[in-house]
Amino acid sequence: MARNCRFAVAVHVCAVLTLRREDPPATSDWIAKSVNTNPVVVRRLLSALGKAGLVQSQRGISGGSTLARDPAAITLLEISRAVDADEGPPLPQQEPNPACPVGANIRPILTDILGRAEAARERELHGITLADIAAAIRARQDL
Amino acid sequence: MARNCRFAVAVHVCAVLTLRREDPPATSDWIAKSVNTNPVVVRRLLSALGKAGLVQSQRGISGGSTLARDPAAITLLEISRAVDADEGPPLPQQEPNPACPVGANIRPILTDILGRAEAARERELHGITLADIAAAIRARQDL
DNA sequence: TAATATGTAACCAGTATGATTACATTGTTG
DNA sequence: CAACAATGTAATCATACTGGTTACATATTA
């Protein structure tokens, strides 16, 4: 997992689009007020989500963004991959010493371990859809 | 998962200590040559591992570090927690707008999701011990 | 044609990371 | 006891990344 807030904000953005599914497109300005950030930050995320095919945007008057698919068909894993580029496992750029038995063999082992950890995280996110998020929000509203 | 290499290097360091279990203590200088980094970087990690009770260090001539426990009793989760402080879920510092239905409710939902993702990653690391790492290294050597 | 929205580039301040130097402290050994 | 060799840690530095902001070209609609 990257140490930034892009995923969290992207889910917030998508949640807004999900709850506003029947309404006219949401502008980056409107969404930014809900997130409490700058509209450009929202547009950057929407651009990434659009390239991943999760969202559609329209320019001009009465423009804005809408979900491209059924919320039940969009997983949080897709959102994560859309906004956070895969940078590979966090290994030091400097290669270890091949003259040491550990240095000579640890690299692929670490890559495997870090890959498995990341896969576990992704499996979790794959099991959650935007429909689940919307349901959780509605449940909290009805308290 | 943090976006740094501390965990990877810490596992490398511990793997060295595991393979040298029957030998005299390893110096930070020696380990640094295997990792291919600066001895101070190694000492910082050894210091954190020591505070977590995974490693013991001795000053002075013929000093150095050794594993504090059986390699089969040290999990990668312990190593991860020792060298990477828990910074909590990566949420924006700016709170969302409580006047928006999404902004008012998304925070605890995001916290839950990010917590579940992190828990999945930790479950994976909990299942791997230093003995497994040592075995993997030996298996690669015997090719 | 005027108004409004997206799409992006450019820039900035704040922060994290890892490498490095420096030095005090501790322990060993001759 | 004196010299040496190791850890422990503070301080500094270059690099990189993040998120916020301004600016402006482009597209779309009324």
Side-chain angles (χ1 to χ4, degrees):
Chain A
M1 178 164 60
R3 194 62 221 174
N4 61 44
C5 308
R6 280 198 285 267
F7 173 68
V9 176
V11 171
H12 184 150
V13 169
C14 289
V16 169
L17 298 186
T18 302
L19 290 212
R20 293 189 41 139
R21 194 138 173 62
E22 310 302 331
D23 303 320
T27 68
S28 64
D29 224 63
W30 197 94
I31 303 174
K33 288 208 175 69
S34 169
V35 176
N36 204 359
T37 184
N38 193 290
V40 175
V41 173
V42 173
R43 267 179 260 154
R44 277 202 281 245
L45 291 173
L46 283 169
S47 173
L49 292 167
K51 279 166 188 161
L54 307 180
V55 153
Q56 276 176 344
S57 297
Q58 278 286 320
R59 297 190 183 192
I61 296 180
S62 82
S65 300
T66 50
L67 277 193
R69 286 194 245 142
D70 188 313
I74 297 181
T75 72
L76 297 199
L77 175 55
E78 289 179 280
I79 295 176
S80 173
R81 286 192 170 148
V83 300
D84 274 313
D86 181 16
E87 304 164 274
L91 295 170
Q93 54 285 51
Q94 203 68 24
E95 301 238 334
N97 185 352
C100 168
V102 177
N105 294 289
I106 197 72
R107 210 74 193 237
I109 297 173
L110 283 171
T111 300
D112 173 58
I113 289 167
L114 293 166
R116 279 203 271 164
E118 173 65 9
R121 178 185 157 272
E122 296 194 342
R123 232 173 290 131
E124 200 71 30
L125 296 185
H126 183 64
I128 309 175
T129 72
L130 281 183
D132 299 326
I133 303 291
I137 292 175
R138 291 203 194 89
R140 290 199 135 248
Q141 281 181 298
D142 299 346
L143 288 184
Chain B
M1 177 165 61
R3 193 62 221 176
N4 61 42
C5 308
R6 278 198 287 266
F7 173 68
V9 176
V11 171
H12 183 149
V13 169
C14 288
V16 169
L17 298 186
T18 303
L19 290 211
R20 292 188 42 139
R21 193 136 173 64
E22 309 302 330
D23 303 321
T27 67
S28 64
D29 223 65
W30 197 95
I31 303 174
K33 289 208 174 69
S34 169
V35 175
N36 205 1
T37 185
N38 193 290
V40 175
V41 172
V42 172
R43 266 180 261 155
R44 279 202 280 248
L45 291 174
L46 283 170
S47 173
L49 293 167
K51 278 164 188 159
L54 308 180
V55 152
Q56 275 176 344
S57 297
Q58 276 288 319
R59 298 190 181 192
I61 295 180
S62 82
S65 300
T66 50
L67 277 192
R69 285 194 246 142
D70 188 312
I74 298 181
T75 71
L76 296 199
L77 175 56
E78 289 179 280
I79 295 175
S80 172
R81 287 190 169 151
V83 300
D84 274 313
D86 181 15
E87 304 164 272
L91 295 169
Q93 53 283 62
Q94 203 69 24
E95 300 240 334
N97 185 350
C100 167
V102 177
N105 294 288
I106 197 73
R107 211 71 193 239
I109 298 173
L110 282 171
T111 300
D112 174 59
I113 289 168
L114 292 166
R116 279 203 271 163
E118 174 65 9
R121 179 186 156 270
E122 296 194 342
R123 233 174 289 131
E124 198 71 31
L125 295 186
H126 183 63
I128 309 176
T129 72
L130 280 182
D132 299 326
I133 303 291
I137 292 175
R138 291 204 193 89
R140 292 197 132 247
Q141 282 181 299
D142 298 345
L143 289 182

